Amino acid sequence: MCYVMSYIRMAMCVILFLTLFTGMCVADSKGNLALNGMAVQSSLGHPQGDAQNAVDGNRDSDYKKESCTFTKTEFNPWWRVDLGNVYTVSNVTITNRGDCCKERLRGAQIRIGNKLDNNGNNNELAATILTAPNGTQTFSFESVNGRYVNIFLPGNDEILTLCEVEVFAEKKLLINI
Ligand SMILES: [Ca+2]
């Protein structure tokens, strides 16, 4: 009886230890975290311009190939992906539209964080796209913790089009928000 009790006590200790230990762990996270994530955008400006097209794993920059997003012409358009967990994001790779209108993306901001105030566009500014990307361009920055990655294009009469957004992190933080 004594042996059984001590065995159970030990087993409980192991379970408790593992629970606490794994709760503090950080897991390596390699690869594109945005791939097939839940994506939304401020508006839909064209039937083939769905927000999900920027996380479909296809960098095709020809809008006619139906793998790019497209908002209406509006004030401060934005696009957002939910990574599903909090990561320390250090790189975002963006594929701009290539068949025309590259300059539309100039001035767009990469914002990362855990809040959805102002649709996530108030989250920390990680980088600004100062010159229109010619094809695919990677933006590296001081790591920012966050679950949401926004591409925010401030200004009047702007159209936001993204053909692919890829998000990379150093590690995953096991915090559920
Ligand atoms: Ca795409």
Side-chain angles (χ1 to χ4, degrees):
M1 186 64 181
C2 235
Y3 288 118
V4 173
M5 287 305 288
S6 67
Y7 176 78
I8 291 171
R9 218 175 284 131
M10 195 177 78
M12 285 174 74
C13 273
V14 169
I15 290 166
L16 181 66
F17 173 76
L18 286 175
T19 305
L20 290 173
F21 182 72
T22 54
M24 291 185 294
C25 259
V26 286
D28 282 337
S29 55
K30 297 191 174 108
N32 173 18
L33 302 167
L35 185 64
N36 299 317
M38 281 292 294
V40 289
Q41 62 189 2
S42 49
S43 63
L44 183 62
H46 187 266
Q48 295 170 358
D50 194 89
Q52 290 298 132
N53 289 345
V55 289
D56 63 359
N58 183 354
R59 287 182 175 176
D60 199 321
S61 63
D62 181 350
Y63 185 76
K64 295 183 292 296
K65 302 288 180 60
E66 302 184 24
S67 190
C68 304
T69 70
F70 202 109
T71 67
K72 290 178 179 169
T73 306
E74 61 181 338
F75 175 63
N76 290 353
W78 54 269
W79 175 95
R80 183 181 73 232
V81 65
D82 180 355
L83 303 179
N85 230 314
V86 180
Y87 292 90
T88 54
V89 179
S90 54
N91 292 282
V92 173
T93 298
I94 293 177
T95 302
N96 196 3
R97 181 173 175 178
D99 59 311
C100 88
C101 328
K102 288 178 197 168
E103 69 287 350
R104 286 178 183 166
L105 203 51
R106 192 169 51 222
Q109 302 173 351
I110 300 169
R111 288 182 172 266
I112 300 167
N114 296 311
K115 297 193 173 150
L116 289 175
D117 302 348
N118 190 24
N119 293 302
N121 297 310
N122 290 352
N123 282 328
E124 187 172 335
L125 177 63
T128 301
I129 301 170
L130 297 173
T131 53
N134 193 13
T136 300
Q137 189 175 333
T138 296
F139 299 86
S140 299
F141 41 81
E142 196 78 17
S143 297
V144 179
N145 288 341
R147 169 176 170 170
Y148 303 107
V149 176
N150 280 48
I151 309 298
F152 175 57
L153 183 55
N156 283 311
D157 299 327
E158 301 282 359
I159 295 171
L160 178 59
T161 288
L162 300 159
C163 291
E164 196 68 10
V165 177
E166 296 158 67
V167 176
F168 301 92
E170 289 174 351
K171 60 190 173 185
K172 175 186 174 188
L173 297 179
L174 295 179
I175 303 168
N176 289 312
I177 292 179

